[in-house]
């Protein structure tokens, strides 16, 4: 039997939205441009594809809706009857049947029009056939608008229904309105059901879960039931009747003996006898509630007799008569008293109900046909009495330590826990738990021995010198003596009495310069990570000027005038004519010599070698080792060959041989917008 998850059903769109979704998908999923010059066969295929694509979309969407909604014949009878109560099974099946019919009609329409499109003789006729096919499909879906709206309402209501498992362990609470079913539900589970002092606060089934004997139990709170014929009961009451009829659960029939719910005990007993056929083959408990307001002992004889009659009937019908065979001792397990206000007896009711349901389920499995297969796989070993040993002659052996502990506990001795020790010794954060006192060692005196520290397989204590403290003190003393000696020598070095006035001035200047250099070095060392790198052209910002160089070198007794003049001459604009001193060198300038002495190197006039006039190192420098060039002449020859190879590319406006760019043949800025003058042509 398939199990449906009612919360995963997809949204059912309305008729108009459904049409927009499918037609939009057709527009995006098929070609949209057709030309009159195409062959007629190609035009037919173009429009046949659109019709087929639309038909497939309708089929997929409708099939998904029909598959997601549960089928009444395939689901559990509880859910089938619940669907009938809430949504009218006939209306529900009719809506799904109409969608199924619409799906078949759309498939037939697509098949007919594809057959007609095969004989289309023009673009216009094929287009009109496609238009007619899509129009008939949309007309069919427009007629399904009410069915789609109804199914969407059903889906929304189904998604809010509780997830009830019909086959799991279940406790079912039933009775008149306001007898305390929802209050008991809140006490037994973590559910939060609304509780109000008026009738029919609970209008649908509510599910909660609780744990008992390491098992998960399902507790269902049902709406109140009134004592009237079945055909007069409304939808709220029929939900309770459906749950009682189809769920294999332990039924807890709640009775308000205080009559604060507005119904007398006689009316509640009449309701029990009216719906008792629904309790057949189920464990039934009569739970008397609100004993905080009225005790069982305070009941009148007539009311007490009514309660006893309910217990007798419950014993007869509960678990197929098993409770009746148990005798009078079963009254305690059938009639229970509690109060949901002060929680008196609530847990006892839960325990009894769960135990009875467990035993009932075991009996049902044993009575089933599959129990033989299970018993054949189980072997229970039974112990046999040994020869010469009388039963009971071997008492159990209790260790002495356990016997002493029992005696101390019986004498009133209370063992202190770690929490008690913590509170006695300063509290949390001050007390440190002693973990060694629980060590199990051969000699208890070893518990607090210092544990050796092992590193690389060796005990560190083996390498510790016992005289380490004395040696450390001796080293500290020697260090103090050396420090004092160093301070004395520094004082002697600082003695400037043997220097002349000029030497002392130079010494002070040297020390000042040293302090400046040390400070700059420390500043760079500490802040180089946060300091941006300045380009060479901003070197003047750091004081690296010709005047600064003259001052610093002059202070050292070096004449820097010629260097300054050469720098200034090279910084000026280059003249067209060159002097002989520049070409051949003089005492201020460098000489550019070839391999044979004073001859200057021959100039290479090419597009790239023209930069030699600006920087001779570009063309006259020796080739880089490993570049494959023998000398400067071979390098310049390569430059010429590269220039000649690039000329053809330059004429074609190419960057190089790998340039495959195709320029725009009609630049948009030249061929868009309105024409100049009074023209009316607009190319946008």
């Amino acid at each position: 039997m398939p199990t449906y998850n009612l919360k995963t059903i997809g949204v059912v769109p309305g008729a108009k939205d459904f049409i927009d979704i499918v037609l939009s998908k057709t527009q995006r999923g098929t070609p949209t441009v057709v030309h009159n010059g195409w062959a007629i066969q190609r035009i037919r295929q173009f429009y046949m594809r659109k019709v087929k694509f639309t038909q497939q979309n309708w089929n997929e969407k409708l099939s998904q809706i029909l598959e997601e909604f549960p089928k009444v014949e395939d689901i559990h009878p509880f859910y089938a009857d619940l669907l009938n109560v809430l949504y009218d099974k006939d209306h529900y099946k009719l809506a799904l049947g109409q969608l199924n019919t619409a799906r078949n009609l759309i498939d037939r329409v697509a098949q007919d029009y594809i057959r007609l499109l095969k004989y289309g003789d023009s673009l216009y006729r094929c287009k009109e056939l496609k238009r007619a096919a899509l129009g008939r499909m949309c007309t069919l879906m427009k007629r399904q608008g009410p069915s789609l709206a109804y199914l969407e309402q059903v889906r929304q209501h189904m998604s809010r229904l509780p997830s009830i498992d019909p086959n799991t362990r279940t406790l079912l609470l039933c009775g008149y309105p306001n007898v305390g079913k929802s209050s008991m539900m809140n006490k037994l589970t973590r559910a939060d059901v609304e509780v109000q002092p008026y009738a029919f606060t609970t209008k649908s089934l509510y599910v909660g879960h609780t744990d008992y004997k390491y098992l998960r139990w399902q507790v269902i709170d049902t709406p109140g039931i009134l004592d009237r014929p079945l055909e007069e009961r409304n939808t709220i009451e029929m939900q309770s009747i459906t749950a009682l009829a189809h769920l294999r659960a332990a039924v807890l029939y709640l009775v308000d003996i205080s009559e604060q719910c507005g119904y007398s005990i006689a009316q509640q007993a009449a309701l029990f006898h009216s719906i008792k056929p629904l309790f057949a083959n189920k464990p039934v408990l009569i739970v008397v509630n609100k004993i905080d307001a009225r005790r069982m002992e305070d009941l009148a004889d007539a009311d007490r007799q009514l309660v006893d009659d309910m217990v007798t009937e419950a014993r007869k019908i509960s678990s197929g008569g098993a409770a009746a065979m148990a005798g009078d001792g079963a009254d305690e397990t059938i009639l229970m008293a509690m109060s949901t206000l002060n929680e008196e007896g609530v847990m006892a009711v839960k325990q009894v109900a769960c135990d009875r349901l467990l035993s009932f389920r075991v009996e049902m499995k044993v009575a089933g046909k599959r129990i033989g297969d299970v018993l054949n796989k189980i072997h229970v070993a039974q112990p046999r009495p040994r020869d010469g040993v009388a039963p009971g002659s071997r008492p159990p052996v209790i260790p002495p330590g356990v016997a002493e502990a029992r005696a101390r506990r019986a004498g009133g001795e209370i063992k202190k826990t770690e929490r008690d020790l913590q509170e006695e010794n300063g509290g949390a954060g001050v007390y440190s738990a002693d973990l060694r006192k629980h060590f199990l060692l051969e000699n208890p005196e070893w518990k607090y021995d210092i544990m050796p520290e092992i590193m690389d397989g060796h005990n560190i204590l083996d390498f510790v010198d016992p005289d380490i403290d004395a040696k450390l003190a001796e080293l500290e003393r020697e260090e103090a003596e050396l420090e004092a000696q160093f301070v004395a020598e520094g004082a002697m070095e600082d003695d400037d009495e043997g220097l002349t006035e000029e030497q002392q001035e130079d010494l002070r200047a040297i020390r000042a310069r040293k302090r400046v250099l040390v400070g700059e070095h420390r500043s760079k060392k500490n802040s180089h990570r946060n300091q941006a790198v300045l380009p060479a052209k901003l070197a003047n910002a750091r004081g690296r000027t010709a005047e600064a160089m003259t001052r610093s070198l002059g202070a050292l007794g070096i004449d820097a005038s010629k260097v300054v003049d050469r720098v200034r001459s090279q910084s000026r604009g280059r003249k067209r004519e060159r002097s002989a001193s520049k070409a051949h060198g003089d005492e201020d300038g460098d000489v550019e010599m070839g391999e044979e002495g004073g001859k200057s190197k021959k100039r290479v006039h090419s597009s790239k070698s023209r930069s030699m006039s600006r920087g001779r190192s570009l063309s006259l420098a020796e080739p880089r080792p490993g570049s494959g060039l023998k000398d400067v002449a071979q390098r310049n020859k390569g430059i010429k060959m590269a220039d000649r190879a690039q000329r053809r590319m330059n004429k074609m406006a190419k960057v190089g041989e790998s340039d495959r760019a195709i320029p725009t043949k009609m630049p948009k800025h030249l061929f868009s917008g309105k024409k100049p003058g009074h023209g009316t042509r607009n190319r946008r």
Side-chain angles (χ1 to χ4, degrees):
M1 184 175 296
T3 301
Y4 283 92
N5 187 358
L6 303 180
K7 300 183 185 299
T8 59
I9 302 176
V11 178
V12 180
K16 185 176 182 303
D17 294 337
F18 214 154
I19 294 172
D20 293 341
I21 290 170
V22 174
L23 294 184
S24 175
K25 191 173 182 180
T26 302
Q27 185 73 5
R28 289 182 283 109
T30 56
T32 56
V33 179
V34 60
H35 298 286
N36 199 13
W38 284 359
I40 189 62
Q41 186 64 26
R42 187 175 180 184
I43 295 174
R44 291 172 186 165
Q45 293 293 335
F46 179 85
Y47 287 109
M48 288 168 61
R49 180 179 177 182
K50 283 188 173 293
V51 175
K52 287 181 180 178
F53 191 85
T54 307
Q55 177 262 332
Q56 290 174 359
N57 284 338
W58 285 118
N59 194 297
E60 291 175 2
K61 298 288 185 183
L62 293 174
S63 299
Q64 183 180 3
I65 293 174
L66 294 174
E67 290 173 0
E68 287 183 346
F69 276 89
K71 296 178 177 58
V72 178
E73 294 80 7
D74 296 341
I75 58 178
H76 194 276
F78 166 70
Y79 276 112
D81 280 4
L82 191 63
L83 289 179
N84 186 25
V85 169
L86 295 175
Y87 316 120
D88 188 2
K89 181 172 63 175
D90 296 335
H91 195 179
Y92 175 77
K93 295 177 69 174
L94 183 62
L96 293 178
Q98 288 177 350
L99 291 187
N100 188 27
T101 304
R103 179 181 62 175
N104 296 332
L105 290 176
I106 287 174
D107 294 344
R108 192 177 306 167
V109 167
Q111 183 180 1
D112 294 342
Y113 275 91
I114 287 174
R115 188 181 300 114
L116 293 175
L117 278 169
K118 290 180 180 179
Y119 300 99
D121 56 357
S122 66
L123 173 64
Y124 176 76
R125 185 160 297 177
C126 292
K127 181 178 180 180
E128 291 302 313
L129 286 173
K130 184 267 299 182
R131 184 178 178 185
L134 268 60
R136 287 191 61 184
M137 295 179 189
C138 295
T139 302
L140 286 172
M141 288 309 301
K142 282 182 181 178
R143 295 174 182 172
Q144 306 304 320
S147 298
L148 294 172
Y150 168 75
L151 289 176
E152 173 60 16
Q153 293 295 326
V154 170
R155 183 200 67 83
Q156 293 179 5
H157 195 277
M158 279 184 175
S159 65
R160 293 192 291 268
L161 287 178
S163 298
I164 299 175
D165 187 357
N167 300 315
T168 191
R169 295 164 293 274
T170 306
L171 302 181
L172 195 62
L173 311 180
C174 65
Y176 259 99
N178 258 10
V179 295
K181 300 184 297 297
S182 300
S183 300
M184 185 177 181
M185 174 85 164
N186 294 337
K187 299 297 182 183
L188 293 179
T189 67
R190 291 182 291 273
D192 186 14
V193 184
E194 183 181 5
V195 178
Q196 295 295 339
Y198 51 83
F200 289 106
T201 307
T202 304
K203 297 182 177 61
S204 61
L205 300 176
Y206 284 88
V207 179
H209 293 86
T210 184
D211 295 328
Y212 179 70
K213 288 188 177 180
Y214 304 102
L215 296 174
R216 178 58 61 90
W217 295 73
Q218 183 176 255
V219 183
I220 299 179
D221 179 19
T222 61
I225 307 174
L226 300 179
D227 185 16
R228 51 187 176 181
L230 184 65
E231 58 273 7
E232 296 181 6
R233 289 194 169 101
N234 55 23
T235 303
I236 298 176
E237 295 176 85
M238 288 304 298
Q239 296 182 51
S240 301
I241 299 298
T242 303
L244 288 170
H246 295 290
L247 293 181
R248 187 177 299 175
V251 179
L252 278 68
Y253 185 80
L254 272 71
V255 178
D256 182 7
I257 61 172
S258 67
E259 299 181 351
Q260 295 177 355
C261 62
Y263 304 97
S264 63
I265 296 179
Q267 290 176 312
Q268 299 178 53
L271 174 63
F272 176 81
H273 294 294
S274 173
I275 63 175
K276 68 182 179 182
L278 300 175
F279 302 153
N281 296 325
K282 296 184 180 70
V284 181
L285 272 74
I286 307 299
V287 181
V288 176
N289 192 18
K290 302 184 182 179
I291 60 174
D292 57 305
R294 186 180 183 185
R295 290 286 176 178
M296 289 285 294
E297 296 80 8
D298 301 336
L299 288 177
D301 294 339
D303 294 340
R304 180 67 187 189
Q305 184 61 36
L306 292 173
V307 174
D308 293 340
D309 292 342
M310 285 191 289
V311 172
T312 304
E313 290 294 332
R315 188 186 310 115
K316 290 180 181 179
I317 64 177
S318 179
S319 302
M325 292 185 294
D328 297 336
D331 288 349
E332 297 180 358
T333 61
I334 293 179
L335 179 62
M336 303 290 294
M338 70 172 189
S339 171
T340 55
L341 181 63
N342 54 21
E343 301 185 12
E344 179 184 354
V346 175
M347 291 299 112
V349 172
K350 169 188 171 182
Q351 181 178 357
V352 171
C354 294
D355 289 338
R356 290 195 57 191
L357 182 59
L358 280 178
S359 61
F360 169 72
R361 289 169 67 92
V362 171
E363 291 172 2
M364 293 294 292
K365 291 179 181 179
V366 171
K369 297 180 180 180
R370 299 179 58 187
I371 188 62
D373 299 336
V374 177
L375 292 178
N376 291 335
K377 301 177 183 179
I378 299 175
H379 172 69
V380 180
Q382 297 291 339
R384 298 178 182 176
R386 296 198 307 182
D387 298 337
V389 179
S393 62
R394 300 179 63 186
V397 178
I398 301 176
V402 176
E404 294 176 2
R406 288 181 179 178
R408 288 196 300 268
R409 194 180 307 115
E413 180 181 350
I414 299 176
K415 183 180 179 181
K416 288 187 177 181
T417 62
E418 287 293 330
R419 185 177 184 86
D420 298 334
L421 295 175
Q422 174 181 304
E423 297 300 329
E424 293 176 0
N425 294 278
V430 178
Y431 173 73
S432 179
D434 186 6
L435 302 179
R436 297 191 179 189
K437 63 183 179 181
H438 300 296
F439 286 1
L440 300 178
L441 302 177
E442 183 178 354
N443 187 356
E445 297 179 356
W446 296 346
K447 289 183 179 180
Y448 297 97
D449 288 352
I450 299 176
M451 295 186 183
E453 298 181 23
I454 306 300
M455 178 182 292
D456 298 333
H458 301 285
N459 189 353
I460 295 179
L461 195 61
D462 295 340
F463 300 91
V464 175
D465 191 351
D467 301 332
I468 187 72
D469 295 333
K471 292 181 179 180
L472 178 61
E474 181 65 21
L475 286 175
E476 291 178 351
R477 186 183 60 78
E478 292 181 1
E479 185 178 358
E481 293 179 357
L482 291 175
E483 185 177 358
Q485 183 180 356
F486 175 76
V487 172
E489 291 177 356
M492 294 176 63
E493 290 180 358
D494 293 341
D495 191 9
D496 301 338
E497 295 179 358
L499 301 178
T500 62
E501 188 68 25
E502 184 178 357
Q503 291 175 342
Q504 292 180 359
E505 185 67 25
D506 294 341
L507 181 60
R508 284 193 292 271
I510 291 173
R511 289 176 177 171
R513 179 60 179 169
K514 184 177 179 181
R515 286 193 296 271
V516 171
L517 293 177
V518 171
E520 290 180 356
H521 174 71
R522 291 177 178 173
S523 176
K524 292 178 182 178
K525 182 178 180 181
N526 295 332
S527 62
H528 72 283
R529 293 184 180 88
N530 299 327
Q531 184 177 3
V533 179
L534 295 177
K537 65 180 181 179
L538 299 179
N540 292 342
R542 296 185 175 184
R544 297 175 182 174
T545 60
E547 290 78 4
M549 182 182 67
T550 304
R551 288 195 303 271
S552 61
L553 293 178
L556 300 176
I558 301 174
D559 186 9
S561 58
K562 294 183 179 181
V563 178
V564 173
D565 294 340
R566 184 167 180 264
V567 170
R568 289 177 177 173
S569 63
Q570 290 185 353
S571 64
R572 298 191 185 98
R574 184 165 56 247
K575 297 181 180 179
R576 189 172 185 83
E577 62 276 5
R578 296 177 182 271
S579 62
S581 62
K582 284 288 180 181
H584 301 288
D586 54 9
E587 58 182 0
D588 294 339
D590 297 334
V591 180
E592 299 291 342
M593 301 297 293
E595 296 180 355
E596 299 180 357
K599 295 182 179 180
S600 61
K601 294 194 175 183
K602 184 179 179 181
R603 302 299 298 167
V604 179
H605 300 287
S606 66
S607 60
K608 289 192 175 180
S609 63
R610 292 191 185 99
S611 61
M612 295 177 185
S613 59
R614 299 177 183 173
R616 299 190 177 189
S617 60
L618 294 178
S619 61
L620 298 181
E622 293 296 329
R624 182 172 53 84
S627 61
L629 301 175
K630 182 174 63 176
D631 53 6
V632 177
Q634 192 174 10
R635 180 170 178 266
N636 291 335
K637 184 177 180 180
I639 294 175
K640 287 184 178 182
M641 294 174 66
D643 289 346
R644 283 195 296 270
Q646 185 63 23
R647 286 174 189 170
R648 182 168 172 270
M649 298 295 175
N650 292 342
K651 291 180 180 179
M652 299 174 63
K654 301 287 187 180
V655 176
E657 294 181 358
S658 62
D659 190 358
R660 298 290 188 270
I662 300 176
T664 306
K665 293 188 170 42
M666 295 180 64
K668 187 172 182 180
H669 68 283
L670 296 179
F671 293 91
S672 63
K674 292 186 177 181
K675 297 179 66 175
H678 300 283
T680 58
R681 191 185 220 176
N682 190 348
R683 296 182 185 270
R684 285 201 178 98

